[in-house]
């Protein structure tokens, strides 16, 4: 399933607070974007314990229980994990990874909060979650009967909200500062091949690894840092993150270059740093330049003049990287009015392929 509307973490928490107490909610989303953590946060917000069941590891009897002979009849004894006396949040993680038989076992539980003769305590809440088919995860087709029993919402990763959370949780500063400059690298779609890819969860893992190695407090070898980055992230992002850390050590920060307190690195061995800085510079231009020339304020003029000068300086050092900075190959384009000025000042930069 791929819903036409997606929501952020904060939006989803609000939805859960309003919808989940009255209707079961199913959260769709890619691996590693924080679905499980959000459900646990929701449980804390409503003051209920959270009980998690992993759908991919369940058999039907794990839901409906086992039969017990009682006189001339039998009854099913629900599992202790589910059969509780006080209300709680039942989190059915990877629900759409269940077999069809297990999915059928969930029908009455999700729709009526009942397993046989056992009813969940009044005030209990049921939330499901799972990956999408395009995520290269273990998923099975969810039956229409099960789909129709739940309120469906699709979660997306939001860099601004994640950075706010990361700062509160003490995520490693290298990770936070990198994603502030490259917010588009927080999440990448799962690849078709078996390799690490970037998600909020994998950035968290990298942060934990950096802390364990004492990165930032003491020197960490380039080889070790390279191993850590490529163990967690999309290869392209890992390479850029390594350039960023090298950039920190060399103190060639983008803000310093804009302020004329530093220059573009020009040594051949610093090409990776130059590439990262140029990519970050392009992202900054996309973020800060107004779409229309009429929206230019007085404070913006000095940045625009400096931006054009920086592109000229960059083209002298490495023409291809300068061309990449102003190109539209990645889908997003710089404002038309700015491109007109670049074409006027550096026509070869725009026309040469």
């Amino acid at each position: 399933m791929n819903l036409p509307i997606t929501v952020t973490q904060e939006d989803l928490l609000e939805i859960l607070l309003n919808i989940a107490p009255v209707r079961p909610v199913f959260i769709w989303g890619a691996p590693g974007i924080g679905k499980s953590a959000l459900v646990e946060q929701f449980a804390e917000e409503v003051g209920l314990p959270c009980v998690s069941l992993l759908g991919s590891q369940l058999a039907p009897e794990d839901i409906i229980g086992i039969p017990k002979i009682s006189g001339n009849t039998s009854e099913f004894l629900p599992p202790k994990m589910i059969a509780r006396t006080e209300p709680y949040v039942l989190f059915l993680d990877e629900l759409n990874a269940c077999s069809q038989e297990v999915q059928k076992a969930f029908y009455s539980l999700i729709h009526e909060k009942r397993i046989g003769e056992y009813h969940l305590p009044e005030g209990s809440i049921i939330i499901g979650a799972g990956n999408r088919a395009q995520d290269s995860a273990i998923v099975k087709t969810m039956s229409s009967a099960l789909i129709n029993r739940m309120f469906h919402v699709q979660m997306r990763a939001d860099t601004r909200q994640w950075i706010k959370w990361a700062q509160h949780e003490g995520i490693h500063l290298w990770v936070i500062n990198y994603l502030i400059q490259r917010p588009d690298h927080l999440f990448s779609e799962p690849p078709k091949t078996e390799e690490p890819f970037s998600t909020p969860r994998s950035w968290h893992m990298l942060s934990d690894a950096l802390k364990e190695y004492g990165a930032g407090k003491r020197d960490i070898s380039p080889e070790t840092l390279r191993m850590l980055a490529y163990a967690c992230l999309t290869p392209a992002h890992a390479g850029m993150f390594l350039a960023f850390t090298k950039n920190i050590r060399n103190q060639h920060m983008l803000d310093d270059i804009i302020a004329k307190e530093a220059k573009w690195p020009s040594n051949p061995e610093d090409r990776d740093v130059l590439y990262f800085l140029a990519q970050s510079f392009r992202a900054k231009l996309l973020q800060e330049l107004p779409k229309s020339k009429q929206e230019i304020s007085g404070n913006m003029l000095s940045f625009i003049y400096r931006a054009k000068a920086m592109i000229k300086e960059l083209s002298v050092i490495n023409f291809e990287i300068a061309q990449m900075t102003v190109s539209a190959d990645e889908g997003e384009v710089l404002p038309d009015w700015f491109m007109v000025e670049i074409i006027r000042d550096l026509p070869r930069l725009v026309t040469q392929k």
Side-chain angles (χ1 to χ4, degrees):
M1 183 179 290
N2 197 18
L3 300 175
I5 305 297
T6 61
V7 298
T8 66
Q9 297 97 308
E10 290 180 1
D11 295 334
L12 182 52
L13 183 59
E14 187 71 17
I15 290 170
L16 291 178
L17 290 170
N18 285 278
I19 303 296
V22 295
R23 289 290 182 180
V25 175
F26 190 91
I27 305 168
W28 297 87
I33 62 172
K35 300 186 293 295
S36 302
L38 189 74
V39 174
E40 292 173 1
Q41 181 183 350
F42 163 76
E44 289 182 11
E45 292 268 349
V46 297
L48 294 176
C50 184
V51 176
S52 298
L53 296 180
L54 199 59
S56 58
Q57 299 178 4
L58 294 176
E61 56 268 25
D62 295 324
I63 309 302
I64 62 177
I66 58 175
K68 172 191 174 184
I69 297 175
S70 179
N72 296 325
T73 60
S74 66
E75 61 179 324
F76 276 88
L77 297 178
K80 182 179 179 181
M81 199 168 189
I82 295 177
R84 295 177 172 235
T85 57
E86 298 295 330
Y88 65 98
V89 174
L90 178 58
F91 179 40
L92 308 175
D93 200 6
E94 297 184 10
L95 177 57
N96 58 336
C98 299
S99 67
Q100 293 294 321
E101 292 302 312
V102 174
Q103 288 188 27
K104 285 192 294 183
F106 276 119
Y107 283 4
S108 61
L109 176 61
I110 290 175
H111 187 54
E112 302 171 331
K113 297 183 180 178
R114 174 182 62 84
I115 304 172
E117 297 181 0
Y118 169 77
H119 289 261
L120 267 64
E122 187 72 24
S124 294
I125 295 170
I126 297 177
I127 300 173
N131 305 131
R132 306 159 302 172
Q134 65 264 38
D135 294 325
S136 301
I138 299 175
V139 296
K140 294 180 173 63
T141 302
M142 189 182 293
S143 71
S144 58
L146 191 55
I147 288 175
N148 198 236
R149 281 168 161 79
M150 292 178 288
F151 181 95
H152 296 269
V153 62
Q154 183 167 318
M155 178 179 168
R156 71 175 185 272
D158 182 274
T159 308
R160 180 186 61 81
Q161 293 179 15
W162 190 85
I163 288 174
K164 180 180 177 182
W165 169 86
Q167 291 170 330
H168 181 266
E169 294 296 318
I171 297 298
H172 198 282
L173 278 177
W174 286 2
V175 170
I176 292 175
N177 290 335
Y178 176 80
L179 290 173
I180 287 174
Q181 295 196 40
R182 293 310 308 263
D184 53 320
H185 285 187
L186 176 65
F187 173 77
S188 61
E189 292 292 338
K192 301 302 180 184
T193 54
E194 295 177 321
E195 62 183 39
F197 59 100
S198 302
T199 66
R201 179 165 58 200
S202 62
W203 282 108
H204 196 171
M205 285 193 294
L206 177 59
S207 169
D208 289 344
L210 291 171
K211 287 183 176 181
E212 290 300 316
Y213 275 88
K217 297 179 181 178
R218 58 184 174 84
D219 204 17
I220 178 172
S221 72
E223 294 76 16
T224 298
L225 190 57
R226 182 180 179 85
M227 178 272 294
L228 297 179
Y230 279 95
C232 300
L233 307 176
T234 298
H237 294 177
M240 296 287 282
F241 179 76
L242 292 172
F244 171 77
T245 59
K246 185 177 179 181
N247 179 33
I248 291 176
R249 295 173 179 182
N250 292 340
Q251 298 182 339
H252 287 309
M253 299 302 293
L254 180 60
D255 289 342
D256 291 339
I257 299 175
I258 293 174
K260 298 184 180 180
E261 295 175 1
K263 296 181 179 181
W264 293 112
S266 56
N267 295 330
E269 61 269 22
D270 290 331
R271 181 182 170 87
D272 54 349
V273 178
L274 180 66
Y275 182 80
F276 170 78
L277 287 170
Q279 287 277 56
S280 300
F281 181 48
R282 173 179 168 80
K284 187 176 183 69
L285 293 175
L286 287 167
Q287 181 181 2
E288 297 193 8
L289 291 179
K291 299 299 180 185
S292 169
K293 198 169 185 177
Q294 286 69 36
E295 300 174 35
I296 298 176
S297 63
N299 293 334
M300 178 60 62
L301 277 175
S302 59
F303 173 69
I304 293 171
Y305 291 142
R306 179 59 187 148
K308 291 191 291 184
M310 287 174 63
I311 293 173
K312 291 180 182 178
E313 295 164 2
L314 183 58
S315 67
V316 173
I317 297 171
N318 190 301
F319 189 84
E320 291 180 355
I321 292 180
Q323 193 174 39
M324 172 211 70
T325 305
V326 300
S327 71
D329 293 343
E330 297 179 1
E332 291 186 283
V333 296
L334 297 174
D336 292 341
W337 62 267
F338 186 77
M339 289 302 299
V340 168
E341 296 198 16
I342 295 298
I343 292 171
R344 183 192 62 201
D345 295 344
L346 293 168
R348 191 171 66 95
L349 189 66
V350 179
T351 56
Q352 182 169 322
K353 299 295 181 184

